[in-house]
Each structure stands twice: as structure tokens, then as C-alpha cells.
Amino acid sequence: MSGVNGSNQDVDIDLGRIIAAVWERKARIIGATVIAAAVALVGASLMKPSYKGETRLLIESRSPNLSGGEGAPQANDPVLDSLNVTSQAQLLQSSDLIKRVVRELKLAQLKEFDPAAQSLLPDPLVLIGLKQDPMTLEAEDRVIQEFREKLQVYPVENSRVIAIEFSSHDQKLAADIPNRMAEVYLEIQSGAKLDTHSETARWLEPEIVRLTGKVQEAEKKVADYRSSNGLFQTTETNSFSTQQLNDISTELARVRAERANAEARAENVRAALKAGRASDTLTDVVGSQVIQRLKEAEANLQAQISDQSTQLLEGHPRLKGLRAQLGGIRQQIDSETKKILASLENDAEVARLRERQLMTQLNGLKADSAKSGEEEVGLRALEREATAQRQLLETYLARFREATSRLDSNASPADARIVSRAVEPSEPYFPKIIPIVTVVSLATFIFGCLIVMIIELFSGRALRPSGVGDVEFDREAKTLPAPVPAAVAPADSPLPVHQMQAEAARFDVREAAAKARAKVSERFVFPTAEERVEQVEAKDEGFTIGSVAHYLERHDVPVAIAISPRGDEGSTATVMLAREIAEHGRTVALIDMTGSACPTRLMAENPKLPGITDLLCGETAFGDAIHRDRLSDAHIIPHGASDPGKAMRGADRLTMIIDALADAYDLVLVECGPAEISGISRLAGDETADIILSVPGFKDDEVAKLVTDFEMAGYRHLLVMSEAGDLHSPRRGRRRAA
């Protein structure tokens, strides 16, 4: 600053004088703060409390699947995205819904929702024209406006849940109004679905009647066209002419096969006769009954001739007669064979004639089929039209049946459901007396300090010339020269008035600084170990687990090292401490650095899970070494399955592991078991580390000696926990029972 107080000399702000001025007026500032706190306390106590209730709705598709099985979603089902949820939140704030709730609950009769109509005194802001007169509005509009100010509807982030919050001076209304709003919303949604189905059914009914007539007309046209053009149907796909064509084609193929067979058989017999082969080799000849009888007679005659030849001479008349009969039979066989050949030739000729007749009929049917094919083009067009009308009619009928089946309110639920109903709040959300008093007191204190600082600056008492050094101490007497008061300064003084004021201010600052240093020195005198044990016993009721947990939470301790001189008994208490802190809603991780792995057995489902030794050896991933406590929300980094000796060679990574856990958890507990003081230096890092001495069952003199040993080693932040950890105590099931 320059040119202040009418001087051309540059000046600086004397911070010491400002602090001294605030200190001098501390009584007034504190008094004003106390008065403001009292006024805030009285004002907050006189305020009418407001209560808040909350109801939550889940937006989801609830259309019933009437077809059975897992079908595709309905075409008119809503798309459950963020835009749809936001739209439903806006629907909950619609005027129609609010009007219905206001009328059903008769809110217009309550002074809370229409204060302007029931107020005896006029609003000053209305009188001076700074506010619109609410009485110019309709009574229902005034209630809705007040209702909206108390209502808050918002979608819960990253979900399809909508929260309905309402504040009221009446506890019952604070719960009833959001619940009723949710019920009315569900009724409106369900009613909208019912209206949709009812309108659909009303529209489909005349359409179905109209389509039924069109389907009958189209099918009649098909039948008339088929009758007039002779396009008779034998099956669903074949006409009469087509069926005839197929039958004749089949018969022609059969006749041709018979003709070929007869010609082949006749040719075979003819060739055998020309070649002089025996007729016994011919199938058609052998199969003839006449030939078979002649063959039998021939065989009998040969047998007789052979029998008589042994008794009679060759020229005997009997033998001659037998031979003559044998020759006649053979002539008959040849004659019969020729007859069979003629019969086969006749069969072949008949087949040829039949083939020519069938060919004539087939050619005629082909011509008729070509003509009917041209006529079927028009028939197919009529059939397509009839089929399309019939399919549309069936679709309308199916939708009509579905719409009529959902005309009941239970068949068309709203696409939302209430997942949390509001209950009557037991405590008001406003006013919060303690926060209000605290904020008012703090604001008054800061405002008072600022006023004092501004007064000092504008009066010039907090200014000093630039370049003027502090008044030197008399090193021998250690006294300060007396200040020159501005009020009695001589007129011919070599220093201006404002410089003498600066010198006086510097003296006051030194005096205040000396007092502050004395207080600080007095404040940081550490008590002895015996005194600390007595103080903690008097204050914390015997170093309980709860008191240690309260201390760690209150001071936001990130990392604490637990020492258990008696081994598993102290480690059990440390496990109970971790569970106690987890029950308070804080995240806590316990690292098992004991040799007995007691915390691992108590907290982990399987003692063989990967843990801290595996991390130090680099044999497991960081996330795989963290496991949940089986009885609480705390987490455990077990002892691990790797070789402890090999793990200690990677102990340099332990600090990084603890730091990483401290970034992710509110508290990291390192249980070291019965470790020596010299062995925890690598974990503690420096003397500011928080050490928990878990000493259940120790006597007072043993605790005092242990605390003294740690203090002599330089550790000042010590916590003593002498309560034994009882796994069957009520603390174990408190959270789960809640």
C-alpha cells in the first residue's frame, strides 16, 4: 500500500497488529458469537419441524405373456431406457396427477397448503408490489403451487428407480402423500392400458365384420370362376385336368412296358423255334398247362417204349404203335408252341393298339391342360386375394381375442411397481438445530474477525512504513524499549505519528508471540507412561475394543500396526476390532503378519487362501489376495501359503502394498503378533505411526512397562487395547441381526 494516512511513504500491512487487535477484542467477538448461537438455537427451536417421506417406484415391463412359454416382447411394450424413466418422472409431476391427490386427501382444507387464504395478516411483499398477490389465483392452483414446492421427484442414477420425496409439517402426510402419488400413478398407467385395449377391441369389432364379408365374397368368386371354367380341384394342389393327365401318363407308361414285354417274349419263342431249340427252355411254353400235360404223356410213352423194348423185338407191332403215339404227341407239342407264339404276338399287338389310343387321349389332354393353365392364371389371382383377406381376418380375430382378454384391470398391470413405501418419519429433516447453530456461530465469529481487521486497516493502526526494521532486543537485558504512545508524541518528534504507531504495534505483536510460544510449549509437554495409563483408564473405561475403534474413526487413522505380545489372544482382539470398525460402516482391511496365522483362521473361509506371503513372493495377483471376512464386511489379507523366508526377501514391497491398501480402504490394520519393538521399524516407517498394543489379560504394571518401552523407542502414538476378543460375544451378530 502507498499513500495511506496522508503520507507519501510506502507502507505495509502489519499482520501482527491485526492478530493482536483480534485478540484484544476476543471478548466482544466471542460474546457476539455466543449471542448469535443463542439466537440461532432459539430460532431453530421455535421453527415448525418439517418431515420428509420417500416412496420408490421401479419401472419395468409387466405385460403378461398369454401365449405361454417365453415369447418375444409385445410390440406396444415401452422401451425401458433412461429417456423413458425420465419421462415417467415427469409424468409423476403432472398437474392432473397432483390435482387428483389433492382432491382425494382434501389438502385444500389445510393451512399448510393454502397459507395465503387462511392468513389473517397481509403479506408485506404483496403490499409494496414486490410479490404477486396469491389470492388472484384459484384456490386449487395455490394448493398445487405449494404442493410442487414440497414435492421432489427424480430418477435414481444408474437405475430404473424413481424416488418420490415429499416434505410436510405433518408426519402422517409426509408418508401418505408420496404413497398415494405412487398408487395414483399406477392406476393411471393401468387405466391407460385398459383404454388402449378397449379402444382396440372397439375398432377391431366392425373391421372383423367387414373383413368376414370380404372373405366370403372373395371365396365365392374363386368358386364361381372354377366352376365356369371347369377347373375342378381333386386335391388342394391339383386340378381335374392335371389329375387326368397324370393318370393317362402313368397308364401309357404301363402299356408301353407290357407291349415291350410281349414283343420280347414272342421274339424269344420265335427265335427258339427257328433255331430248333427244345421248348423246355422257354418259360412261356413250359408255363402252359397243355404243354405240361403233353410232356407228361410223352414221358409215359417213352417209359412204355423202353419197358417193351426189353421184351419185344424192334419190329413188333406194339412198339410201332407206341412210337407212332409218341410222334403224334410231339407234333401236338410243336403245334401248341406255335399257338403260344401267336398268343404272345396277339398280346403285343393289343398293347400297341392300346398305346396308340392312350397317345391320342394324352395329346387331347395336353391341349386341354394348356387351355386350363391360361384360365388358372385368373384363378390364382382370385385365390391370392381370398387368401390375403383370410389371413388379415385371422390376424384381427387373434388381436381382438387378446384385447378382450385384457379388459380386466388385473390383466393389464402398470409397467411399474412400488419397491419401497414411505413410512412416517420419526425425526424432522428440518431444522437441524446443531448444524444451524454451528454454522451461525462460525459465520458470526468469522464476520466479527473480518470487521475488526477492516477497522484496523482503515484506521491505519495495522499499517507500517516499508523498510523499517523491527526494534532490536537488548541482548544483555532482554528487554524492549518502551513504545512511544501516539497520543503523547511531541510535535518535534523525528518520526511521523503513523511510524510511532507501527513501532508500538510491533511491540504488542512480540508480546503476544511470546505468550503464544509459552502456551505451545506448555501444550506439547508429553505425560509419562504411568500418567497416560491412568488418563486412558479414566476416560476409555479400560481400553475396550470400542474405545480404540472410536479413536481410529474419529482421527481418520489410515494405517495402524497391532502388536499382540501374548500371541493368538491379542490377535483375536485385533480381529474383533476390525469387525467393530466394519460394523460402523467403514472399510477396513486386516493384514495377517503373524506366525500362527490366527486372524486367517478366524476370518477366512479357507486357511489355504493366497495372502501376504504370496504377494511378497510375487506368486499371486493383488486382487486375488484380498478376501471377505466370513462374519462381517471387513476384508482379510491372509497369511498365505508361500514360504515365509522367501517372502521376507521381498519385504521391501510391503510398504507399497500397505500404501495401496490405504488408498482403497478407510483403515488398514497390520496384525504382527508378538513382534519385537525393533522388528516393526520397517512397518512403522517413522515415529508418527499409530501402534495398537493388544494386551488382553495384562496387569497395569505390565501395560505401563510395555508403553514405556515403546515410548523410549521413540513411538508416541500408542493405543492400548486390553479387552479380550470374544468370538461368541453379541458384537459378532449385531450387524447381521439388524
Side-chain angles (χ1 to χ4, degrees):
M1 282 186 177
S2 63
V4 180
N5 293 335
S7 174
N8 293 328
Q9 187 175 0
D10 293 337
V11 294
D12 294 331
I13 296 176
D14 192 346
L15 296 178
R17 176 56 193 165
I18 294 177
I19 297 174
V22 173
W23 181 255
E24 289 172 0
R25 295 168 177 80
K26 61 181 180 294
R28 297 180 182 178
I29 296 174
I30 294 175
T33 302
V34 172
I35 293 173
V39 172
L41 178 61
V42 173
S45 301
L46 294 177
M47 289 181 182
K48 195 171 184 179
S50 295
Y51 301 89
K52 181 176 288 187
E54 182 188 71
T55 301
R56 296 201 167 194
L57 288 169
L58 175 62
I59 307 300
E60 61 179 0
S61 177
R62 301 186 66 196
S63 297
N65 185 9
L66 302 179
S67 61
E70 297 184 359
Q74 300 286 336
N76 56 352
D77 284 350
V79 180
L80 299 179
D81 55 1
S82 59
L83 294 178
N84 180 267
V85 175
T86 304
S87 301
Q88 299 305 313
Q90 293 299 319
L91 179 59
L92 280 163
Q93 304 177 61
S94 64
S95 298
D96 293 339
L97 190 149
I98 293 176
K99 285 181 181 179
R100 183 171 171 182
V101 174
V102 168
R103 292 168 184 168
E104 291 180 358
L105 299 180
K106 300 179 180 179
L107 300 181
Q109 302 176 6
L110 302 178
K111 181 180 180 180
E112 178 183 356
F113 292 92
D114 195 3
Q118 304 182 22
S119 178
L120 299 178
L121 299 176
D123 192 344
L125 297 177
V126 175
L127 294 178
I128 62 178
L130 297 179
K131 182 179 178 182
Q132 182 185 2
D133 187 2
M135 297 305 296
T136 58
L137 301 175
E138 295 290 337
E140 192 174 46
D141 294 337
R142 293 197 301 271
V143 174
I144 293 175
Q145 185 176 359
E146 187 70 21
F147 191 98
R148 288 185 184 276
E149 293 178 358
K150 298 175 178 293
L151 176 66
Q152 185 178 7
V153 180
Y154 60 91
V156 179
E157 188 177 1
N158 297 327
S159 70
R160 293 197 294 269
V161 175
I162 297 177
I164 308 172
E165 291 185 356
F166 193 85
S167 60
S168 174
H169 298 312
D170 189 347
Q171 294 172 274
K172 189 173 184 304
L173 280 179
D176 290 345
I177 290 178
N179 287 337
R180 187 54 191 159
M181 287 189 67
E183 293 170 359
V184 171
Y185 167 78
L186 295 180
E187 292 174 4
I188 291 175
Q189 289 290 83
S190 179
K193 279 192 171 183
L194 289 176
D195 292 342
T196 300
H197 298 320
S198 178
E199 291 174 2
T200 302
R202 285 198 301 269
W203 178 81
L204 285 174
E205 190 170 4
E207 288 293 319
I208 290 174
V209 174
R210 183 180 61 83
L211 276 177
T212 302
K214 293 182 70 174
V215 169
Q216 292 176 353
E217 183 181 355
E219 290 180 347
K220 186 176 182 304
K221 288 181 179 179
V222 171
D224 293 343
Y225 187 89
R226 192 188 301 277
S227 176
S228 61
N229 293 279
L231 301 175
F232 302 105
Q233 291 287 115
T234 56
T235 62
E236 293 182 357
T237 57
N238 291 335
S239 62
F240 182 74
S241 60
T242 305
Q243 183 67 35
Q244 277 188 326
L245 189 62
N246 292 334
D247 293 343
I248 291 178
S249 298
T250 303
E251 181 66 16
L252 179 61
R254 186 185 65 79
V255 168
R256 285 177 175 175
E258 290 179 355
R259 176 183 60 78
N261 184 32
E263 289 178 348
R265 291 164 61 190
E267 182 65 24
N268 184 29
V269 173
R270 189 182 299 108
L273 291 177
K274 284 184 178 181
R277 294 199 305 269
S279 61
D280 297 342
T281 59
L282 301 176
T283 304
D284 294 321
V285 174
V286 173
S288 175
Q289 294 182 359
V290 176
I291 295 295
Q292 290 177 359
R293 289 195 297 269
L294 292 175
K295 285 291 186 182
E296 290 176 1
E298 181 184 11
N300 291 331
L301 288 175
Q302 286 182 347
Q304 291 179 10
I305 291 172
S306 297
D307 185 36
Q308 294 296 326
S309 296
T310 57
Q311 298 176 6
L312 302 174
L313 295 175
E314 290 293 330
H316 193 277
R318 186 174 180 80
L319 287 176
K320 290 181 179 180
L322 291 174
R323 287 190 179 95
Q325 291 179 5
L326 180 62
I329 289 174
R330 287 178 176 172
Q331 289 179 357
Q332 289 179 4
I333 290 174
D334 292 338
S335 176
E336 190 63 29
T337 301
K338 291 178 181 179
K339 290 179 181 180
I340 291 173
L341 175 60
S343 176
L344 291 176
E345 289 178 347
N346 290 333
D347 291 341
E349 184 62 24
V350 170
R352 281 193 292 270
L353 294 175
R354 180 61 178 162
E355 180 182 1
R356 284 195 293 270
Q357 292 176 355
L358 289 175
M359 284 296 299
T360 303
Q361 293 180 4
L362 181 62
N363 293 331
L365 286 176
K366 284 182 179 180
D368 294 340
S369 178
K371 181 181 179 182
S372 63
E374 295 176 357
E375 295 173 347
E376 284 181 355
V377 173
L379 177 63
R380 283 194 292 269
L382 294 175
E383 288 178 341
R384 282 195 298 270
E385 178 66 20
T387 302
Q389 296 293 341
R390 189 185 305 109
Q391 290 176 350
L392 183 59
L393 175 61
E394 292 173 355
T395 302
Y396 279 14
L397 285 172
R399 293 185 178 179
F400 179 76
R401 286 192 295 269
E402 182 179 357
T404 53
S405 65
R406 296 188 179 185
L407 291 179
D408 186 79
S409 59
N410 295 326
S412 299
D415 291 324
R417 60 186 177 91
I418 300 175
V419 295
S420 175
R421 285 187 172 272
V423 296
E424 293 188 16
S426 58
E427 296 182 358
Y429 87 98
F430 182 85
K432 300 291 186 182
I433 297 178
I434 294 178
I436 289 176
V437 173
T438 302
V439 171
V440 171
S441 302
L442 184 60
T444 304
F445 179 79
I446 295 174
F447 187 68
C449 294
L450 289 175
I451 291 177
V452 172
M453 294 178 185
I454 292 172
I455 292 174
E456 290 297 314
L457 288 173
F458 280 94
S459 66
R461 291 190 296 271
L463 303 177
R464 67 180 179 185
S466 299
V468 178
D470 295 335
V471 179
E472 297 292 337
F473 280 99
D474 186 352
R475 298 185 182 278
E476 297 296 333
K478 291 186 175 51
T479 59
L480 285 169
V484 181
V488 299
D492 56 351
S493 175
L495 291 176
V497 175
H498 66 272
Q499 292 188 13
M500 290 187 290
Q501 289 175 348
E503 296 293 337
R506 281 193 292 275
F507 175 79
D508 294 339
V509 172
R510 288 196 185 91
E511 185 178 0
K515 292 180 181 179
R517 282 194 295 271
K519 289 184 178 180
V520 171
S521 300
E522 188 179 26
R523 179 182 175 186
F524 284 91
V525 175
F526 291 94
T528 63
E530 291 77 11
E531 293 173 345
R532 179 173 295 182
V533 170
E534 293 175 359
Q535 293 172 1
V536 176
E537 285 180 344
K539 183 178 180 181
D540 292 338
E541 302 178 356
F543 311 114
T544 63
I545 293 174
S547 63
V548 175
H550 178 67
Y551 175 86
L552 295 174
E553 295 173 7
R554 184 180 60 190
H555 293 278
D556 290 329
V557 176
V559 179
I561 300 171
I563 307 298
S564 303
R566 288 189 179 175
D568 291 351
E569 186 176 1
S571 299
T572 303
T574 305
V575 171
M576 297 308 298
L577 174 62
R579 290 174 177 172
E580 177 78 15
I581 295 173
E583 287 178 359
H584 294 171
R586 297 175 65 86
T587 56
V588 57
L590 189 146
I591 303 177
D592 186 3
M593 297 288 293
T594 64
S596 62
C598 174
T600 301
R601 294 195 303 272
L602 294 177
M603 299 180 72
E605 296 287 349
N606 182 9
K608 299 298 183 180
L609 292 173
I612 188 65
T613 56
D614 304 287
L615 274 178
L616 294 176
C617 294
E619 296 178 355
T620 188
F622 199 94
D624 296 337
I626 302 175
H627 308 278
R628 189 183 182 119
D629 179 22
R630 56 191 179 91
L631 297 180
S632 71
D633 292 336
H635 288 178
I636 173 71
I637 292 86
H639 183 272
S642 298
D643 183 17
K646 181 181 177 182
M648 291 308 297
R649 289 196 291 271
D652 295 337
R653 303 176 56 191
L654 187 59
T655 304
M656 293 188 295
I657 293 173
I658 295 176
D659 291 342
L661 291 172
D663 292 337
Y665 291 87
D666 295 333
L667 173 65
V668 179
L669 277 174
V670 184
E671 171 58 34
C672 298
E676 299 292 337
I677 297 177
S678 58
I680 65 172
S681 59
R682 180 174 295 181
L683 287 176
D686 53 22
E687 299 175 357
T688 62
D690 292 270
I691 307 296
I692 300 174
L693 301 177
S694 184
V695 289
F698 275 51
K699 297 180 180 179
D700 293 344
D701 54 348
E702 294 175 336
V703 175
K705 182 180 182 303
L706 188 62
V707 172
T708 302
D709 293 341
F710 273 89
E711 286 192 343
M712 291 180 63
Y715 298 104
R716 295 287 184 181
H717 294 226
L718 299 176
L719 296 172
V720 178
M721 185 170 61
S722 61
E723 181 184 1
D726 184 9
L727 293 176
H728 302 284
S729 66
R731 181 185 293 112
R732 174 185 177 186
R734 186 187 310 157
R735 182 177 182 88
R736 295 186 181 274

